[in-house]
Amino acid sequence: MGAIERRTDDKQVISRWFNLDNQFGNSAESKVMMTRFGSRIHLLVSLDGGYHVLDEATMYSSDVKPTAKQLWKPQIGVLEMGILGATGLMPMKIKEGKGGSVDAYCVAKYGQKWVRTRTVVDTLSPKWNEQYTWEVFDPCTVITVGVFDNCRLDKSMINNAGARDYRIGKVRIRLSTLESDRVYTHSYPLLMLHPTGVKKMGELHLAVRFSCASIGNMLHMYTMPMLPKMHYVHPLSVNQLESLRYQALNVVSSRLNRAEPPLGREVVEYMLDHDSHMWSMRRSKANFFRLMNVISGLVAIGHVIESIRNWHKPVYSTLFVAFFLILVTMPELIIPTVLCFLSFVGILGYRSRPRNPPHMDTRLSQAESVYPDELDEEFDSFPTSRSADIVRMRYDRLRSVAGRIQTVVGDMASQGERFQALLIWRDPRATFLFVTFCLFAAVGFYVVPLKVVLALWGLYVLRPPRFRSKLPCCAMSFFRRLPTKADNML
């Protein structure tokens, strides 16, 4: 390893010849054979420190620094966390003569630094009162705190090598949601999804403070690339990133398993969200509704514009037409008006800002309305261990969902191919009409001022419904008649 070249940038790596040693043992004869020339291998190999190797899910990343320490930028602040305690924990095991019990401990992970609290034995309301600090290099990162039940203390499981610590729940806090130098003392619900549904396992009490050395440096970080330079100069493929993440998880798991006290692989996998890429009907529905929530704002704006365009409220429609004509006659006001509107909306939303860091949301996760079979599918092993009939039913359901997705993707591809068909002469008559229109439109835009064209177009679009036809316009009819490559698909 010492002979391998180390690089931190995209410089060219020089290939080298390496001798192949012939080792047959420790005898004198074998040592003589090792001194003889056997063979060589030509390798182009390097240790690249310019990349950041993810060991956790991308959306919950706690570290984006490159591997090589000499490339690290100065820290921008310090994160302090006090793990105070937990209340109302659900009993995880039964002890003789004591009923339900929990031997709870906490694990916190930020960057490359993992910390673990002591185990508080046999209580449903443990108190840890331990404080930890981390250096912060990027504010747009996440710290993860998990609570587990220590099963390695059970005397009946001491000699059981397969003892696994139970998951109680975890909390994620994004540092960018914290105000600088403010202490947040808050109770976070510990929610777990079980084969029977979502359960609240208790509450975790944390005290968090993010101290920033310089506000200017932190604000400057928002304009910098998220990942190191090498990720953009010579980007890694998705398969390489997934393979590296799996190898990094194995390295971290083996390292923490040798710590004192050790952390089991099940703890590391839960903290790093190793199963975030697995199929889940619940997650699919949750992501769909997240997308719809984002699009709903644009849809609402479209409904308002359509209402104005249909003159449902003549006063507002008249004011909108007058405002449109003012912007057309003075186009230098368009961008300032849009920016002032966005600033006004942001200022109005300041009073309704969240006062505490957000926690797990069962409604957002679609955990409250999930069906039992979907939960059973999510907790099934990979490959599946269910019967053939259940697998067949789930496969048919997955085919129906994938079919709808396939239809939407195909429709989007058809719209893009119609734009391409305007100029590639696949439909000669349609391309001829479009080219002819472009020539006449070029002359028209040259002769007629742009302000007049925009004013006429706006008045035509915003005309009252009594002057409109219910049929699609000529441009839309023309576009829908353009050919797509769907005709050539089997």
Side-chain angles (χ1 to χ4, degrees):
M1 296 295 292
I4 297 178
E5 180 179 356
R6 301 171 182 264
R7 67 171 185 171
T8 58
D9 52 19
D10 56 339
K11 69 178 181 179
Q12 185 68 31
V13 179
I14 301 175
S15 59
R16 292 183 55 187
W17 288 95
F18 292 87
N19 293 331
L20 296 179
D21 295 332
N22 297 320
Q23 298 187 16
F24 299 95
N26 296 323
S27 62
E29 181 180 355
S30 63
K31 294 181 180 179
V32 172
M33 294 185 65
M34 289 175 59
T35 59
R36 299 175 183 175
F37 171 75
S39 182
R40 295 194 300 172
I41 185 171
H42 194 202
L43 298 179
L44 180 65
V45 59
S46 64
L47 292 172
D48 288 358
Y51 291 94
H52 169 67
V53 180
L54 287 169
D55 58 358
E56 53 201 342
T58 308
M59 64 285 293
Y60 313 130
S61 178
S62 64
D63 186 14
V64 291
K65 303 189 303 295
T67 305
K69 195 168 184 178
Q70 60 266 32
L71 295 179
W72 292 4
K73 297 179 181 178
Q75 68 180 58
I76 63 169
V78 175
L79 174 65
E80 300 172 88
M81 171 172 287
I83 302 178
L84 306 180
T87 57
L89 295 183
M90 293 286 292
M92 303 301 293
K93 52 195 173 188
I94 304 298
K95 290 190 176 182
E96 296 181 2
K98 297 182 180 180
S101 171
V102 174
D103 302 326
Y105 68 92
C106 276
V107 177
K109 192 262 183 188
Y110 182 77
Q112 299 178 4
K113 181 179 177 181
W114 292 67
V115 297
R116 170 181 172 155
T117 66
R118 68 186 187 278
T119 300
V120 180
V121 180
D122 195 17
T123 177
L124 301 180
S125 298
K127 301 296 181 182
W128 293 289
N129 294 322
E130 299 184 17
Q131 183 176 354
Y132 304 95
T133 60
W134 289 268
E135 296 178 341
V136 177
F137 295 85
D138 194 306
C140 301
T141 46
V142 177
I143 183 172
T144 304
V145 185
V147 184
F148 301 88
D149 178 33
N150 195 336
C151 295
R152 304 171 193 272
L153 298 179
D154 194 349
K155 295 181 180 179
S156 62
M157 303 181 71
I158 288 180
N159 297 323
N160 185 5
R164 297 169 60 89
D165 293 345
Y166 296 133
R167 306 170 179 179
I168 299 179
K170 64 183 173 185
V171 175
R172 300 190 195 98
I173 301 176
R174 186 170 292 273
L175 270 59
S176 58
T177 62
L178 305 177
E179 298 180 10
S180 299
D181 299 318
R182 175 183 171 183
V183 178
Y184 292 86
T185 304
H186 192 61
S187 297
Y188 297 86
L190 297 172
L191 303 175
M192 277 293 295
L193 192 65
H194 295 275
T196 56
V198 65
K199 291 183 180 179
K200 182 179 179 181
M201 309 296 291
E203 292 187 350
L204 178 64
H205 302 274
L206 300 176
V208 184
R209 180 172 65 181
F210 173 47
S211 302
C212 179
S214 172
I215 296 294
N217 291 339
M218 186 176 66
L219 296 178
H220 178 66
M221 289 298 301
Y222 281 86
T223 64
M224 302 298 293
M226 176 68 76
L227 295 172
K229 178 182 176 182
M230 286 294 292
H231 286 267
Y232 305 97
V233 177
H234 290 296
L236 300 174
S237 66
V238 176
N239 292 335
Q240 288 175 323
L241 291 174
E242 288 297 327
S243 176
L244 286 173
R245 181 188 171 194
Y246 177 73
Q247 299 298 335
L249 186 147
N250 290 335
V251 172
V252 173
S253 177
S254 62
R255 175 172 60 88
L256 295 178
N257 195 39
R258 297 191 301 267
E260 186 58 39
L263 282 180
R265 184 178 178 88
E266 69 278 5
V267 175
V268 177
E269 290 180 347
Y270 182 60
M271 294 290 291
L272 297 181
D273 292 280
H274 80 291
D275 58 347
S276 59
H277 64 286
M278 298 296 292
W279 161 259
S280 167
M281 183 67 73
R282 176 188 61 83
R283 286 198 190 104
S284 300
K285 291 192 295 186
N287 288 334
F288 172 77
F289 286 114
R290 285 173 58 201
L291 179 61
M292 293 303 298
N293 187 40
V294 172
I295 298 177
S296 62
L298 300 177
V299 174
I301 294 176
H303 288 329
V304 171
I305 295 177
E306 189 65 22
S307 175
I308 292 174
R309 184 171 174 265
N310 291 327
W311 293 75
H312 292 158
K313 296 181 179 179
V315 176
Y316 291 155
S317 298
T318 303
L319 293 175
F320 186 81
V321 171
F323 185 67
F324 172 77
L325 293 176
I326 292 174
L327 292 181
V328 169
T329 55
M330 292 183 290
E332 63 274 7
L333 296 179
I334 295 177
I335 295 180
T337 301
V338 173
L339 296 178
C340 287
F341 175 75
L342 295 177
S343 300
F344 181 71
V345 172
I347 293 173
L348 286 181
Y350 179 77
R351 295 186 61 183
S352 59
R353 70 190 186 279
R355 304 294 179 176
N356 293 303
H359 49 74
M360 301 294 183
D361 191 341
T362 56
R363 181 175 299 178
L364 177 67
S365 305
Q366 292 294 306
E368 297 177 345
S369 58
V370 64
Y371 295 105
D373 181 69
E374 296 176 358
L375 280 174
D376 183 70
E377 180 185 20
E378 185 169 346
F379 282 92
D380 190 9
S381 60
F382 185 84
T384 181
S385 59
R386 299 297 184 262
S387 64
D389 293 337
I390 295 178
V391 173
R392 185 181 296 108
M393 181 272 293
R394 291 174 179 172
Y395 176 64
D396 291 338
R397 181 177 61 193
L398 183 60
R399 287 178 64 190
S400 66
V401 174
R404 291 194 292 267
I405 297 174
Q406 171 184 288
T407 302
V408 173
V409 173
D411 292 340
M412 296 173 61
S414 297
Q415 304 306 320
E417 289 169 353
R418 287 192 173 101
F419 278 106
Q420 291 180 341
L422 290 172
L423 295 174
I424 62 176
W425 294 90
R426 184 170 181 183
D427 184 344
R429 287 170 289 276
T431 304
F432 171 76
L433 290 175
F434 180 72
V435 171
T436 304
F437 170 78
C438 289
L439 290 175
F440 281 100
V443 177
F445 276 100
Y446 180 76
V447 175
V448 182
L450 182 61
K451 295 180 181 180
V452 177
V453 174
L454 292 176
L456 294 176
W457 174 79
L459 292 175
Y460 175 77
V461 172
L462 297 173
R463 67 192 187 279
R466 68 177 63 182
F467 300 111
R468 294 192 217 146
S469 172
K470 295 184 179 180
L471 300 177
C473 63
C474 298
M476 186 60 65
S477 299
F478 175 77
F479 180 75
R480 289 175 178 172
R481 290 176 177 274
L482 292 172
T484 66
K485 294 183 180 180
D487 308 336
N488 304 110
M489 291 185 62
L490 294 175

